[in-house]
Amino acid sequence: MSEILNTPVNICVIGSGYVGLVAAVCFAETGHHVVCVDNDEQKVASLCQGKVPIYEKHLDDLLAKHLNKGVHFTTGLHDAVERSEAVFIAVGTPQSSTGSADLSFVEAVVSEIARGINSYKVIVEKSTVPVYTHAWIRRVLSRYGIQDHLFDVVSNPEFLREGTAVVDFLHPDRIVVGAETPKAAEVLGRIYAPLTSGEYYSRPNAIAGPLNVKSPAPILVTSPQSAEIIKHASNSFLALKISFINVVSTICESVGADVDDVAKGMGLDARIGSRFLSAGIGYGGSCFPKDLTAFHNVAQQQGIDFKLLTEVERINEQQKRHFFQKIHSTLWTLRGKKIAALGLAFKGETDDIRDSPGIDIIKMLLEAGSKVSAYDPAAMERSREVLPEEGQLQYVQDEYAAAKGADALLILTHWPQFAKLDLERLKGLLKFPIIIDGRNLYDYKEMHDKGFTYVSVGRPASHSGLETIPRANFV
Ligand code: UGA
C-alpha cells in the first residue's frame, strides 16, 4: 500500500505563474518528478537559477530543495509532454473585452500538447476556466488527430490564496477532481495520494499546516463540468460574503453598531462560518473581480441572468468610494493635504497589486489634489510601474517616514506589521493624530483612549467632532 502511495508520477506543468509554479514545486515536494514549462526564456533561465519571481512564503526554500532534483524548468514543451503521464495546464485566462475568459493561451498550449502525445496522457485544467472548457480541449485534440484512447481531460481547479499558496496547496480544504473516466481519476488519485492518505504529513520535514495524518486532505471526484463550476461558484460566493458584510458595515455605521461583533455573531452559526466576513475597503486581486465577471458571462450564455453577481461587483466599487468619502469627511477638504497611505498590495503577505482597492483609493486622493506618501512592505516596486512617483506621490521606506508631517494616516492593506505600529511614535510624527483604518486593525476604544481620531469600517468613529457635524449620505 505505502509503495503505491509513494509512487512518483511524471508530471508536466505548463505555465510558471502563481498557480503553475506553486503546483510544480509542491508536486515535487510530495515526491513526484516534475517538468515545468514556460515560453518566457528569461523567466525559465531565472527559475533554473533558483530565483522565485513572486513573493510567496516557503516557495524559495522548496524550490531550492527540489531544483534539478524533483523539479526542472524548460521552454521545451514537446519533450516535457512526451515524458509525462499527466499534463497540467496552468496558463493565464485573462478577461476579454466582453468580460468572458480569454482562452486563447489555453487553446495554443493544447495544440502544442497534441504534438507531444505519444502514449496515454491525462490533460489537466488547472487554470480557472469556464464550464465546458474540458470539452473544447477534447475537441481541439481530436481535430489534431489524437485518438480518444490516448487521452482524458480532467478539471482540477486550484483554491490557493496568494501569500499562503504553498500551505493551501499542501493542506487543502478539498481536492476537486472532475474526471471523464475512472482511469483518469485513478491517475489524479495517485498524484494526490501523499496528501489524501496523510503520508506527507507524517514526514519529519513536511510543511506544517492544519492537516495531519489523522485528518488528511479530502478528495471529491465529480464530472468535469461540476468541477469547473465549483471553482467559479466558490470564488463568486466568497466575493458575495465580502460584499454582504461590507453593506452590513455601512448599516452598522449608521446605527452605531460594531460590524466586527456582528460578523462574529453571524460567523458562530456553523451554517454561515466566520471566514471572509471581514469588512474593509472591498476585495481585489487577480481572481475575484475576473472570476465573478466570467461566471456572470457563463450564466448569461446559458440564458440565465445572475444579477446577484453584478450587485456584488457594484457594492465592491461602492465600498471604495465610501471609504474615500470617509477620508474626505474626516479631513473636511483634501486639496493640498498630505496623506500617509500604508498598503499597496491587494491584501497582506503578497506583492500583487492587481485590482488593489488601496491603489484605487490612492488614485482618488491624487485626483482630489492630495499629496500621498505611500509605503508597502512588498509591493512598492510593482506599484511604481502603474503609479509612477511624481510631485504628488512619493514612495517612502517605512510607515514612520510616510507619517512624517501627514494630516492623516490611512491603513489600506491587512499587513500584520500594520497592526503593530508604534502609536506614540506615530503621534509625534503626524501633523494631527488621525488614523483612518480600512482594515479594522485596532480596537477603536483603545485608540480613543490613546488620543487618536480613529475612523474604521462599520464601527463607531472616535472623533468627537464627527457626532456634531452631519455626515453626507455616501452610499
Ligand atoms: C482567492 C480565493 O480565496 C482562493 O481560494 C482562489 O484559489 C484564488 O482567489 C484564485 O482563484 O486563484 P486570493 O485572490 O489570493 O484568493 O485572495 P483572498 O485571500 O481570497 O482575498 C481576496 C480579496 O478579498 C482581498 O482583497 C482581501 O483583502 C479581500 N477580503 C478577504 C476581504 O475584504 N474580507 C475578507 O473577509 C476576506
Side-chain angles (χ1 to χ4, degrees):
M1 179 70 177
S2 64
E3 248 171 56
I4 297 172
L5 297 181
N6 289 319
T7 309
V9 178
N10 291 332
I11 296 173
C12 166
V13 177
I14 303 174
S16 64
Y18 272 100
V19 171
L21 183 57
V22 170
V25 171
C26 288
F27 282 142
E29 165 72 0
T30 55
H32 300 301
H33 301 150
V34 187
V35 182
C36 184
V37 184
D38 203 295
N39 57 8
D40 181 335
E41 283 179 18
Q42 254 184 330
K43 199 170 179 193
V44 168
S46 141
L47 284 164
C48 285
Q49 289 167 14
K51 290 186 193 146
V52 176
I54 51 174
Y55 182 92
E56 197 59 63
K57 200 170 170 198
H58 299 301
L59 202 53
D60 294 68
D61 293 346
L62 287 190
L63 180 59
K65 182 172 163 194
H66 299 293
L67 186 61
N68 297 330
K69 290 173 218 142
V71 66
H72 293 77
F73 295 91
T74 177
T75 52
L77 191 142
H78 183 272
D79 279 0
V81 170
E82 265 192 3
R83 282 189 287 159
S84 303
E85 188 176 0
V87 180
F88 285 75
I89 302 174
V91 295
T93 53
Q95 195 166 319
S96 73
S97 53
T98 61
S100 61
D102 175 354
L103 297 174
S104 50
F105 295 125
V106 175
E107 185 177 0
V109 156
V110 173
S111 27
E112 281 196 66
I113 291 173
R115 286 189 265 274
I117 296 187
N118 54 347
S119 59
Y120 176 76
K121 314 271 176 212
V122 181
I123 315 297
V124 191
E125 308 165 350
K126 201 74 175 148
S127 310
T128 301
V129 289
V131 66
Y132 277 124
T133 300
H134 72 280
W136 275 106
I137 294 177
R138 172 164 286 287
R139 194 174 292 173
V140 171
L141 290 174
S142 300
R143 281 179 185 164
Y144 279 91
I146 312 297
Q147 292 176 339
D148 279 359
H149 71 276
L150 281 179
F151 72 95
D152 275 308
V153 183
V154 168
S155 165
N156 172 223
E158 193 44 65
F159 301 103
L160 56 84
R161 289 161 300 169
E162 287 181 20
T164 52
V166 168
V167 173
D168 287 346
F169 192 99
L170 295 168
H171 294 260
D173 286 350
R174 77 293 206 194
I175 294 163
V176 174
V177 172
E180 290 178 309
T181 63
K183 190 175 175 186
E186 184 274 329
V187 174
L188 271 285
R190 257 190 289 132
I191 291 174
Y192 286 108
L195 305 181
T196 55
S197 68
E199 182 272 323
Y200 175 72
Y201 311 111
S202 69
R203 299 183 198 170
N205 53 357
I207 297 284
L211 301 183
N212 55 54
V213 178
K214 285 194 183 134
S215 145
I219 186 163
L220 174 69
V221 179
T222 67
S223 69
Q225 55 270 48
S226 298
E228 288 163 338
I229 289 188
I230 287 170
K231 171 68 191 189
H232 265 160
S234 299
N235 272 5
S236 300
F237 193 78
L238 291 170
L240 176 138
K241 272 186 105 173
I242 298 168
S243 278
F244 186 92
I245 201 66
N246 279 339
V247 179
V248 171
S249 77
T250 311
I251 300 174
C252 288
E253 284 169 13
S254 290
V255 302
D258 177 339
V259 74
D260 290 349
D261 285 345
V262 173
K264 206 178 284 168
M266 288 168 64
L268 284 170
D269 184 329
R271 294 169 301 174
I272 296 174
S274 60
R275 295 166 78 187
F276 277 71
L277 279 184
S278 299
I281 55 173
Y283 59 78
S286 66
C287 303
F288 285 176
K290 171 171 82 80
D291 291 354
L292 214 75
T293 315
F295 196 36
H296 186 259
N297 242 273
V298 163
Q300 221 163 21
Q301 278 165 19
Q302 303 304 315
I304 299 155
D305 189 359
F306 203 162
K307 277 205 191 82
L308 184 61
L309 298 185
T310 2
E311 189 54 16
V312 169
E313 277 172 340
R314 190 193 65 76
I315 294 166
N316 198 52
E317 289 309 306
Q318 171 186 287
Q319 191 66 9
K320 293 179 226 173
R321 286 196 303 276
H322 180 61
F323 188 74
F324 173 72
Q325 291 294 355
K326 217 185 266 269
I327 304 167
H328 205 163
S329 74
T330 308
L331 296 181
W332 190 18
T333 65
L334 292 175
R335 184 165 303 282
K337 294 250 163 90
K338 183 182 171 190
I339 318 261
L342 303 190
L344 298 157
F346 80 97
K347 64 170 191 178
E349 315 277 7
T350 177
D351 61 351
D352 196 340
I353 54 155
R354 285 175 287 178
D355 268 315
S356 166
I359 292 215
D360 286 346
I361 286 157
I362 291 174
K363 282 183 184 160
M364 290 181 213
L365 286 167
L366 295 173
E367 268 166 36
S370 301
K371 292 181 200 139
V372 176
S373 49
Y375 169 70
D376 188 285
M380 298 219 281
E381 210 175 301
R382 291 195 173 196
S383 191
R384 274 197 176 95
E385 288 164 21
V386 295
L387 266 186
E389 193 159 40
E390 39 84 36
Q392 268 177 265
L393 174 66
Q394 216 193 342
Y395 292 99
V396 294
Q397 80 276 13
D398 65 25
E399 298 90 334
Y400 305 98
K404 200 167 175 211
D407 291 83
L409 179 126
L410 312 181
I411 300 177
L412 302 173
T413 305
H414 192 160
W415 276 99
Q417 70 190 65
F418 294 164
K420 293 183 232 145
L421 295 170
D422 180 342
L423 295 171
E424 280 313 309
R425 188 171 164 203
L426 276 186
K427 219 191 221 175
L429 289 166
L430 285 163
K431 193 164 163 195
F432 305 109
I434 301 175
I435 295 184
I436 307 172
D437 180 0
R439 301 289 177 174
N440 289 3
L441 299 187
Y442 290 91
D443 182 313
Y444 62 88
K445 291 185 196 113
E446 272 177 32
M447 292 302 273
H448 180 255
D449 294 346
K450 290 195 160 96
F452 279 92
T453 285
Y454 179 71
V455 182
S456 54
V457 180
R459 305 186 298 176
S462 74
H463 183 332
S464 55
L466 274 188
E467 273 88 63
T468 50
I469 304 170
R471 289 195 320 148
N473 184 5
F474 299 130
V475 181

